[in-house]
């Protein structure tokens, strides 16, 4: 047993207000504890229900390090099951997506299960007569996760059997998801193809923190976005000239510090927050013909305008996703090891909205988040340098002090200067909370 294992005090001491210890990024034991506690006690994104539109459709993914299956049951509800046969432990499904029909069948010994996980049949079941099978775990079928919530198409799961409710965990932070879905005249999104997948040799929390780090774009992206803007200017174009979609997307990355300061950051309890309270890099995209009119027909002019006036930049949903409402994008940061993270970037189609919106979203995803991105590699370089640099001895703490205030209260909603690192501190406050809550329960039981 290591120094952090089920040691509430040692884990809590890794975060001290304006600093966090390097072990939260580089220590393998801390990573294992995150998988055991943090990802079990929080509500974690699983998928979108449009990925499983028909009964029997399934999608495989993971919550923390736990393999799960999201499946549409015969009652049309979404179920999330551990991807494990209760017999010998074999993974039931290895394909990313598919349709299993009315039941799952284990490929090893042909035990079969209904799509809600209940045991359906066992070959030669007479061999278990008198053995007490009904008292064993195997008789219970494929285990479901602790709790599931389908919120406007977005499916979240809590692995723990008991814990914080979905509504309490997210609270007012759900307003960002609401705005993204409301941008559809039909009030519905559909996933637009498979995600772009991009491996990062760094800790997953570095990517989450970076989503609300507004002091890096004009520095880290100077080689990519800065070069594009320079070429644009050398061609003789001015700020008043209309820009093609690619320039509308990339040029705002070079906005000055003042732009990001005035943009604002809002933080919510439990580690959630967003940049772009007053405006964002998405604010000045060109209007798509017919879109506003479609929203007006659906909601009325006043509500349609209110929906589009929200231009939130990045909304972080703790622990590990970010959404962009104005361009219908979701990125999930999947932890694989203390120094290895898989990023999946999804885009969504606004049902009953012009296809040009989906095309712009796809362009943004390719330009910014793809393995071939001209912007994403700037961030990747910084993440990997940080992952390596944190192993250097002499200094052990990482600074998250910008615009720090003594006795900060993270149990209230706040709006701050857009360059504050309060959201990072908010995330680490939630990190300690959900890392240690089950450790506390264990200690109380003892």
């Amino acid at each position: 047993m290591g120094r952090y294992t089920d040691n509430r005090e040692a884990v809590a001491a890794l975060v001290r207000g304006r600093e966090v210890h390097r072990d939260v990024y580089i220590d393998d034991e801390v990573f294992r504890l995150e998988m055991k506690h943090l990802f079990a006690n929080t509500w974690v994104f699983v998928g979108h229900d449009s990925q499983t539109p028909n009964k029997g459709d399934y999608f495989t993914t993971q919550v923390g390090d736990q393999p799960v299956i999201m499946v549409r049951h015969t009652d049309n509800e979404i179920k999330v099951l551990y991807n494990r046969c209760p017999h010998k432990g074999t993974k039931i499904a290895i394909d990313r997506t598919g349709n299993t029909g009315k039941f799952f069948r284990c490929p090893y010994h042909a035990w079969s299960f209904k799509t809600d996980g209940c045991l359906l049949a066992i070959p030669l079941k007479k061999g278990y007569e008198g053995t007490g099978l009904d008292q064993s775990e195997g008789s219970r079928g494929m285990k479901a996760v602790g709790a599931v919530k389908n919120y406007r198409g977005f499916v979240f799961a809590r692995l723990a059997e008991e814990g914080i409710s979905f509504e309490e965990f997210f609270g007012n932070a759900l307003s960002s998801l609401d705005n993204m879905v409301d941008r559809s005249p039909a009030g519905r999104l559909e996933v637009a193809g498979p995600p772009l997948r991009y491996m990062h040799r760094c800790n997953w929390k570095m990517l989450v923190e970076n989503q609300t780090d507004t002091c890096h774009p004009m520095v880290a992206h100077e080689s990519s976005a800065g070069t594009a803007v320079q070429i644009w200017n050398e061609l003789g174009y001015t700020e008043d000239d209309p820009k093609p979609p690619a320039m509308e997307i990339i040029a705002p990355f070079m906005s000055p510090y003042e732009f990001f300061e005035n943009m604002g950051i809002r933080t919510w309890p439990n580690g959630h927050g967003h940049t772009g309270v007053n405006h964002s890099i998405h604010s000045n995209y060109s209007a798509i013909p017919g879109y506003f009119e479609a929203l007006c027909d659906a909601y009325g002019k006043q509500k349609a305008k209110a929906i589009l006036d929200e231009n939130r930049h990045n909304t972080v949903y703790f622990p590990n996703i970010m959404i962009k409402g104005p361009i219908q994008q979701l990125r999930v940061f999947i932890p694989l090891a203390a120094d290895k993270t898989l990023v999946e970037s999804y885009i969504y189609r606004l049902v009953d909205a012009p296809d040009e919106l989906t095309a712009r979203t796809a362009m943004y995803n390719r330009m910014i988040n793809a393995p071939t991105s001209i912007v994403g590699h700037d961030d990747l370089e910084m993440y990997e340098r940080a992952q390596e640099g944190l192993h250097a001895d002499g200094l052990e703490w990482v600074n998250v002090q910008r615009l720090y205030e003594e006795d900060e209260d993270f149990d209230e909603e706040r709006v701050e200067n857009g360059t504050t690192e309060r959201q990072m501190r908010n995330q680490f406050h939630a990190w300690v909370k959900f890392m240690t809550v089950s450790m506390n329960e264990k200690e109380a039981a003892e």
Side-chain angles (χ1 to χ4, degrees):
M1 181 179 292
R3 57 178 168 163
Y4 297 122
T5 299
D6 289 330
N7 186 332
R8 178 185 180 279
E9 289 73 21
V11 170
L14 291 171
V15 177
R16 58 184 194 192
R18 69 200 78 184
E19 295 177 307
V20 296
H21 195 270
R22 65 176 178 174
D23 280 358
V24 304
Y25 303 100
I26 66 175
D27 189 89
D28 291 331
E29 183 188 0
V30 171
F31 179 82
R32 287 193 295 271
L33 289 172
E34 288 178 331
M35 301 303 103
K36 178 182 178 182
H37 294 287
L38 179 68
F39 279 87
N41 295 324
T42 52
W43 284 86
V44 180
F45 173 73
V46 179
H48 193 268
D49 68 5
S50 65
Q51 293 172 276
T52 55
N54 304 306
K55 295 175 182 179
D57 283 351
Y58 68 84
F59 168 74
T60 63
T61 184
Q62 63 190 75
V63 174
D65 62 353
Q66 298 297 299
V68 298
I69 305 173
M70 182 179 82
V71 59
R72 190 172 290 272
H73 187 44
T74 52
D75 62 0
N76 218 34
E77 294 296 312
I78 299 295
K79 308 293 183 181
V80 180
L81 312 172
Y82 287 94
N83 192 358
R84 176 201 189 276
C85 180
H87 182 209
K88 301 294 186 183
T90 309
K91 268 191 171 182
I92 294 292
I94 59 172
D95 293 331
R96 193 72 196 275
T97 61
N99 184 287
T100 193
K102 294 183 178 181
F103 61 90
F104 288 107
R105 179 179 181 274
C106 179
Y108 197 3
H109 296 96
W111 284 33
S112 58
F113 312 90
K114 297 178 182 179
T115 49
D116 63 356
C118 292
L119 180 63
L120 180 62
I122 299 175
L124 294 175
K125 193 173 182 179
K126 63 183 180 181
Y128 292 94
E129 292 176 0
T131 67
L133 175 65
D134 59 341
Q135 302 299 315
S136 72
E137 281 193 336
S139 67
R140 302 172 196 167
M142 295 173 65
K143 182 174 175 58
V145 299
V148 176
K149 178 70 173 183
N150 182 347
Y151 185 78
R152 304 196 70 178
F154 291 87
V155 179
F156 293 84
R158 190 192 66 219
L159 297 182
E161 295 290 338
E162 298 181 355
I164 190 169
S165 69
F166 177 86
E167 291 76 15
E168 182 183 354
F169 182 69
F170 286 109
N172 291 338
L174 291 171
S175 59
S176 287
L177 266 181
D178 288 335
N179 179 258
M180 185 159 81
V181 178
D182 287 345
R183 286 171 177 265
S184 158
R188 193 170 74 253
L189 303 184
E190 292 178 347
V191 68
L196 296 178
R197 310 181 86 199
Y198 192 1
M199 192 67 74
H200 290 63
R201 296 288 177 178
C202 68
N203 188 270
W204 65 275
K205 293 184 292 299
M206 291 182 181
L207 290 117
V208 179
E209 291 168 40
N210 189 66
Q211 304 311 303
T212 56
D213 182 337
T214 56
C215 286
H216 85 276
M218 68 295 293
V219 181
H221 299 309
E222 187 175 7
S223 63
S224 54
T227 300
V229 171
Q230 180 182 345
I231 293 173
W232 177 258
N233 292 335
E234 289 176 353
L235 290 173
Y237 294 105
T238 68
E239 281 295 316
D240 296 327
D241 290 316
K243 295 181 176 67
M247 279 303 296
E248 284 190 338
I249 288 170
I250 200 169
F253 281 81
M254 294 311 296
S255 299
Y257 288 113
E258 293 76 16
F259 175 90
F260 290 101
E261 283 188 308
N262 295 328
M263 189 166 72
I265 287 180
R266 177 180 283 113
T267 57
W268 293 289
N270 298 320
H272 317 301
H274 78 90
T275 49
V277 176
N278 302 312
H279 59 257
S280 76
I281 66 172
H282 308 301
S283 295
N284 295 323
Y285 288 173
S286 297
I288 300 298
Y291 176 46
F292 181 65
E293 291 76 10
L295 281 182
C296 289
D297 290 342
Y299 299 115
K301 186 174 182 179
Q302 183 177 357
K303 184 175 180 180
K305 187 176 185 302
I307 291 170
L308 296 185
D309 281 349
E310 283 284 347
N311 277 286
R312 300 180 183 188
H313 182 192
N314 294 340
T315 295
V316 168
Y317 286 123
F318 187 80
N320 68 324
I321 66 168
M322 179 276 288
I323 70 164
K324 284 180 173 287
I327 57 168
Q328 300 82 58
Q329 182 196 62
L330 182 149
R331 302 180 74 201
V332 54
F333 310 108
I334 301 173
L336 301 179
D339 61 354
K340 191 176 183 181
T341 305
L342 175 63
V343 182
E344 294 186 337
S345 297
Y346 289 90
I347 61 172
Y348 300 89
R349 183 177 74 85
L350 297 170
V351 176
D352 291 346
D355 290 338
E356 290 90 338
L357 287 163
T358 308
R360 181 163 63 193
T361 296
M363 176 183 289
Y364 185 99
N365 209 27
R366 291 193 304 271
M367 289 182 63
I368 310 302
N369 300 317
T372 53
S373 165
I374 61 172
V375 174
H377 285 282
D378 298 334
D379 293 320
L380 177 61
E381 175 78 9
M382 298 304 108
Y383 303 145
E384 294 187 346
R385 285 193 188 194
Q387 193 70 34
E388 293 176 8
L390 287 172
H391 285 274
D393 293 326
L395 299 173
E396 295 188 355
W397 294 86
V398 174
N399 190 284
V400 289
Q401 194 171 355
R402 182 168 177 79
L403 296 175
Y404 171 80
E405 298 176 3
E406 292 288 345
D407 301 320
E408 287 183 308
D409 183 359
F410 296 108
D411 292 326
E412 64 178 5
E413 181 177 324
R414 292 278 296 275
V415 174
E416 306 281 348
N417 179 299
T419 62
T420 183
E421 291 179 333
R422 176 182 165 87
Q423 172 56 17
M424 299 177 197
R425 299 189 292 272
N426 185 34
Q427 289 163 200
F428 278 108
H429 181 268
W431 185 88
V432 171
K433 175 181 178 179
F434 292 105
M435 277 282 278
T436 60
V437 63
S438 41
M439 295 179 190
N440 286 336
E441 290 168 358
K442 179 178 179 181
E443 290 168 359
E446 294 173 351

